[in-house]
Amino acid sequence: MEENETTTAETTADGPGAGEETVRLRLDISYDGTDFSGWATQPTRRTVQGELESALAKVLRLPEASVTCAGRTDAGVHARGQVAQLDVPARTWAEEGERVLRRLAGVLPKDVRVSDVRLAPPGFDARFSPLFRRYVYRVSDAPYGVEPLRRRDVLWHRRPLDVDRMNEAAARLVGEHDFAAFCKKREGATTIRELLRLEWRREEEHLLAGTIQADAFCHNMVRALVGALLAVGDGRHGVEWPATVLGAGVRDSSVHVVGPQGLSLEEVRYPDDAELAARATLTRRVRELPCPGDRP
């Protein structure tokens, strides 16, 4: 196998398959998050990662499998465009690769699917290489509630919503900021993010879709932003309010974090293959906002 066909032309130092050359696989994944306790493995709880790792170990005939994803989703959040990586012995992939996708379809539960498994290019890191993640949050403001067939992926908002007001407020949040006011702080983690896109449109008469795109997100950020914009859309707050909250720089208890059912991870975009490793290095940097007196 040529070197450019593997992501990590290396050997494992210990554990199962010690001393073997490994390759990195990219997996494209979708799931209905309703009955999962989120992505990340948790003792005694059903998770997307847990189901995937169990299925992959079985179909690849490995003692265990450990996957890393582009973004860990919370309980109840869905995905159409999740991406993950898995390092396996090169020999295993050579022997089992052609059968993996079909065998996974027979082993995985019906609420999670792997649509593609392939060798990742050199430098690929599912978590650190992305240019952006794109989420969509869907809300119904129909007076009668959510259509029964959409009840698992649409939030019902009891008041009529003004999309123009929501977009006016959203435009003031785009850019690189400290989103501490809209995040659940984690020890040692920065809350500085670059929000690339935040906009709303009506897909149907009573169905709104909010697109939220950023280089990365901190915990609860998307659902807190949605909660703030819904409060603008139904008239409870003015269009300037979310930006005022953002500028305060501290978690605001008046910002409601909406439920997870309307949220779906739609896309994870990566750079060209030649730029993957450099992008991962850039993402790992410690972010700081410039001081007011600094030049741009």
Side-chain angles (χ1 to χ4, degrees):
M1 182 177 293
E2 295 181 8
E3 184 177 346
N4 64 2
E5 293 181 323
T6 70
T7 296
T8 52
E10 58 184 27
T11 57
T12 54
D14 49 39
E20 288 190 77
E21 180 187 13
T22 64
V23 294
R24 176 160 294 176
L25 307 180
R26 168 178 168 160
L27 295 83
D28 291 89
I29 306 157
S30 60
Y31 45 88
D32 175 345
T34 305
D35 298 325
F36 288 107
S37 295
W39 166 271
T41 300
Q42 302 178 53
T44 74
R45 291 184 177 272
R46 183 172 184 260
T47 67
V48 180
Q49 184 180 13
E51 294 286 1
L52 277 171
E53 290 181 345
S54 176
L56 285 163
K58 183 174 183 178
V59 303
L60 290 170
R61 309 179 195 281
L62 295 173
E64 61 182 8
S66 179
V67 298
T68 300
C69 71
R72 294 184 296 177
T73 51
D74 292 336
V77 176
H78 316 294
R80 289 187 179 87
Q82 179 69 276
V83 179
Q85 68 187 45
L86 171 68
D87 294 344
V88 300
R91 176 176 53 83
T92 297
W93 178 248
E95 294 173 354
E96 307 291 344
E98 292 184 359
R99 296 184 290 270
V100 168
L101 201 61
R102 189 172 295 277
R103 292 184 67 196
L104 280 172
V107 172
L108 284 167
K110 293 182 179 179
D111 51 1
V112 57
R113 296 287 95 180
V114 175
S115 59
D116 193 20
V117 183
R118 62 186 184 275
L119 285 171
F124 177 81
D125 188 302
R127 179 182 176 190
F128 291 106
S129 293
L131 293 171
F132 63 77
R133 286 99 167 150
R134 178 172 60 86
Y135 284 85
V136 171
Y137 198 100
R138 289 183 169 86
V139 182
S140 170
D141 63 354
Y144 52 81
V146 177
E147 293 285 351
L149 294 180
R150 300 301 304 270
R151 70 191 187 279
R152 294 166 76 95
D153 72 335
V154 175
L155 176 79
W156 182 37
H157 194 73
R158 296 172 182 268
R159 303 178 179 91
L161 293 164
D162 185 325
V163 173
D164 290 337
R165 283 173 54 86
M166 294 167 72
N167 280 329
E168 185 178 348
R172 305 180 186 202
L173 304 175
V174 174
E176 188 173 51
H177 308 286
D178 186 340
F179 284 91
F182 295 98
C183 294
K184 185 175 181 181
K185 181 70 175 177
R186 288 180 168 173
E187 189 67 30
T190 180
T191 50
I192 298 172
R193 297 290 188 269
E194 184 177 8
L195 189 60
L196 301 168
R197 182 182 175 193
L198 181 57
E199 60 188 30
W200 291 83
R201 66 183 180 90
R202 284 196 180 270
E203 293 184 327
E204 300 173 10
E205 181 182 1
H206 292 296
L207 182 62
L208 290 78
T211 297
I212 307 98
Q213 182 174 310
D215 57 349
F217 293 93
C218 45
H219 194 212
N220 282 164
M221 177 177 164
V222 174
R223 291 194 283 143
L225 287 170
V226 170
L229 294 174
L230 291 179
V232 171
D234 65 20
R236 284 177 290 156
H237 287 285
V239 295
E240 74 288 341
W241 178 68
T244 300
V245 171
L246 176 70
V250 294
R251 186 68 182 266
D252 194 318
S253 60
S254 64
V255 175
H256 175 60
V257 177
V258 295
Q261 69 269 31
L263 185 59
S264 176
L265 174 57
E266 297 287 313
E267 179 188 10
V268 181
R269 178 71 60 85
Y270 293 88
D272 293 339
D273 292 355
E275 301 172 7
L276 286 165
R279 177 65 186 180
T281 299
L282 180 65
T283 302
R284 287 187 174 95
R285 79 193 191 283
V286 177
R287 300 198 214 198
E288 294 181 353
L289 290 174
C291 294
D294 291 346
R295 292 184 177 181

